[in-house]
Amino acid sequence: MAVNLSKNGPALTAAYKEVVNEKSDTNWALFTYEGNSNDIRLAEKGDGGLEEMVEELNSGKIMYAFCRVQDPNSGLPKYVLINWTGEGVNDARKGLCANHVSSMANFLKGAHVTVNARADEDVEPEVIMEKVAKASGANYSFHKETSSRFQDSGPQGPVGSVYQKTNAMSEIRKTNKDTFWAQAEKEEERRRLEERRKADEERQHLEKERKDREVKEAALRDQRDKEKAVQIEQQKKYQQQQEAERREQDKQRWEAASLISQRAMNPRDMFKQRERGITPSDSNVPSAAPASPQPAPVCRSLYVKTPLRWRFCSFAALKNIYFRTQINQILWQVEENNYEVTAEETPDRGICARALYDYQAADDTEISFDPDEIITGIEMIDEGWWRGYGPDGHFGMFPANYVELV
């Protein structure tokens, strides 16, 4: 982009005119950019000549200096234009501002000497004045020297020497510049090492976090696998146990069915016939007092189911039960008169029990009930079979191990 001289145009023009005006005390002006833009502004001006102007040059900026000096040969005023590019300016900015040199030369017209400077050595006052002397052309002191050569000037002064006065400020600036750049390089190297160290630490920290995360995830996966394996093993054991129980129950049912199929007569029918006065054959009813003590035969029809086994009652126990007067009276009411005795008709509730399991009556001589229902008026007629009033008021038999006394 082109340089912009119009934004601060009046101030730039005024400073330039003060420098070219020989009657003005101002003999130098310094111009630079506003920030990183292309707008030119007046940086500084003064009347101290080259020595003062050089002190204002900044190594981190691009500047344009215009100075009025006196020609050492002719004594006439000469104008010097210095294009200053500091060593601290980045290369992109240098390349962009290189196209502005010609525009600044057209604005600062009348320069006899143009100096492109990058370091303090390029703007030493002696160096600039030497360039001004070379650019002035003819040596105006030639005639004075030749005329004085043939004149008798009397005794000659002391012979001069080759000694040259040292510029203390120039030497100090040169030393400071070398020290500054050496220190800047060291600081830059330290900065790079610190950044590299921080990057390594960050990379190691991220790597450690990644490894820790992978270890935790692996531990969680192993734990889930173990828990799943334990659940599968427990499920297998439970299924095997269920299957074993089912087989055992099937086996027991099959054995019970086999025993029932071998019975000659239903004991319930036998007892009903006895109540009605019908005497069964001696082959079907066991003797009340056998000649020799033998175990009573097992009733193969009146049994009680439990979760894991079948229980049977003896004929002797059933015979004693059914010959009791109260039971005969109740059976007569149920069988002959088709009349059910309810719990409300009993003088009191008598012995009560709570059902533990559900039971469905096999016929009208038994009662049905569900878990937690109450059976009242219980008569413990046998170890395995009791009689009582069911929830519906019906009086009948039920398995004793299906209830608990309350």
Side-chain angles (χ1 to χ4, degrees):
M1 297 178 62
V3 64
N4 184 9
L5 298 171
S6 59
K7 182 177 181 180
N8 301 311
L12 301 178
T13 303
Y16 169 73
K17 289 182 178 180
E18 289 183 13
V19 174
V20 297
N21 186 4
E22 296 182 5
K23 296 181 180 181
S24 174
D25 294 335
T26 302
N27 55 15
W28 64 271
L30 191 61
F31 308 94
T32 186
Y33 295 91
E34 291 184 349
N36 291 326
S37 66
N38 294 327
D39 302 332
I40 297 295
R41 66 176 179 85
L42 176 64
E44 194 63 53
K45 62 181 180 178
D47 55 1
L50 283 173
E51 289 78 4
E52 184 182 17
M53 182 190 69
V54 169
E55 296 295 331
E56 299 297 331
L57 294 176
N58 192 332
S59 62
K61 294 182 179 181
I62 296 177
M63 310 181 80
Y64 304 96
F66 192 72
C67 182
R68 184 178 72 239
V69 297
Q70 187 175 5
D71 189 348
N73 295 327
S74 64
L76 298 175
K78 299 292 182 179
Y79 301 99
V80 179
L81 173 62
I82 300 175
N83 298 319
W84 171 261
T85 303
E87 295 179 351
V89 181
N90 58 58
D91 296 337
R93 186 64 178 170
K94 290 178 182 178
L96 180 63
C97 297
N99 300 325
H100 301 165
V101 175
S102 59
S103 299
M104 294 301 299
N106 293 331
F107 175 72
L108 303 173
K109 297 179 292 184
H112 298 88
V113 177
T114 301
V115 179
N116 295 321
R118 294 180 178 271
D120 294 339
E121 294 83 357
D122 301 331
V123 293
E124 294 290 341
E126 293 81 1
V127 175
I128 295 176
M129 292 305 298
E130 184 179 353
K131 292 182 179 181
V132 171
K134 292 180 180 179
S136 63
N139 190 348
Y140 291 96
S141 63
F142 173 75
H143 297 288
K144 296 179 182 179
E145 293 178 359
T146 54
S147 60
S148 62
R149 186 181 300 174
F150 299 100
Q151 292 179 357
D152 187 8
S153 57
Q156 299 293 327
V159 178
S161 66
V162 296
Y163 171 76
Q164 185 177 3
K165 184 179 179 180
T166 302
N167 190 335
M169 294 300 297
S170 176
E171 293 295 331
I172 292 173
R173 284 197 302 271
K174 184 176 180 181
T175 303
N176 291 339
K177 183 189 70 174
D178 296 340
T179 305
F180 169 78
W181 285 113
Q183 185 178 0
E185 289 179 358
K186 291 181 180 179
E187 291 179 354
E188 180 67 16
E189 184 66 21
R190 285 197 299 269
R191 184 185 64 81
R192 291 177 181 176
L193 293 175
E194 184 67 18
E195 289 180 354
R196 189 180 298 111
R197 184 184 63 80
K198 290 181 178 180
D200 293 340
E201 290 179 354
E202 183 69 18
R203 184 169 58 255
Q204 293 175 0
H205 180 68
L206 294 176
E207 184 69 17
K208 183 179 179 181
E209 288 184 350
R210 183 184 64 81
K211 291 182 178 179
D212 293 342
R213 185 170 59 255
E214 290 179 353
V215 170
K216 291 181 180 179
E217 291 177 354
L220 290 175
R221 284 196 302 269
D222 294 341
Q223 183 178 1
R224 286 196 297 268
D225 293 341
K226 291 180 180 178
E227 292 177 354
K228 187 175 181 181
V230 171
Q231 292 177 357
I232 293 174
E233 186 66 22
Q234 292 178 352
Q235 186 176 4
K236 287 182 178 179
K237 290 182 179 179
Y238 177 76
Q239 291 177 353
Q240 292 175 358
Q241 183 179 1
Q242 293 292 327
E243 182 67 19
E245 291 180 358
R246 186 184 61 81
R247 291 178 179 177
E248 183 66 20
Q249 292 176 1
D250 291 344
K251 180 179 179 181
Q252 292 174 357
R253 290 192 184 98
W254 181 84
E255 291 176 354
S258 176
L259 293 174
I260 293 172
S261 63
Q262 298 175 7
R263 68 189 177 184
M265 185 177 180
N266 192 334
R268 296 179 187 274
D269 297 338
M270 180 186 67
F271 294 140
K272 290 180 182 179
Q273 293 175 5
R274 185 182 296 275
E275 292 295 329
R276 293 188 178 94
I278 302 174
T279 303
S281 62
D282 295 338
S283 60
N284 295 331
V285 179
S287 175
S292 60
Q294 296 179 355
V298 176
C299 173
R300 302 184 184 275
S301 65
L302 295 181
Y303 57 86
V304 179
K305 288 194 297 183
T306 63
L308 296 178
R309 69 183 184 275
W310 300 78
R311 296 183 56 191
F312 301 90
C313 59
S314 64
F315 276 110
L318 290 177
K319 183 177 66 174
N320 294 330
I321 292 169
Y322 278 94
F323 277 102
R324 293 173 58 183
T325 305
Q326 186 177 3
I327 297 177
N328 292 338
Q329 182 180 0
I330 295 174
L331 285 174
W332 179 261
Q333 293 175 353
V334 173
E335 299 293 340
E336 300 299 333
N337 300 330
N338 195 18
Y339 175 76
E340 294 183 357
V341 180
T342 62
E344 289 78 3
E345 296 177 351
T346 59
D348 54 22
R349 293 169 58 92
I351 300 175
C352 300
R354 179 181 291 106
L356 298 176
Y357 314 101
D358 65 299
Y359 180 76
Q360 299 298 323
D363 52 28
D364 55 1
T365 63
E366 297 180 356
I367 61 174
S368 301
F369 49 81
D370 293 329
D372 294 331
E373 290 184 341
I374 302 299
I375 297 93
T376 60
I378 296 175
E379 295 180 358
M380 302 178 183
I381 57 179
D382 182 61
E383 180 183 357
W385 284 88
W386 295 350
R387 297 189 62 154
Y389 294 96
D392 56 354
H394 180 66
F395 188 80
M397 299 174 62
F398 61 89
N401 61 340
Y402 270 54
V403 299
E404 64 177 357
L405 296 176
V406 296

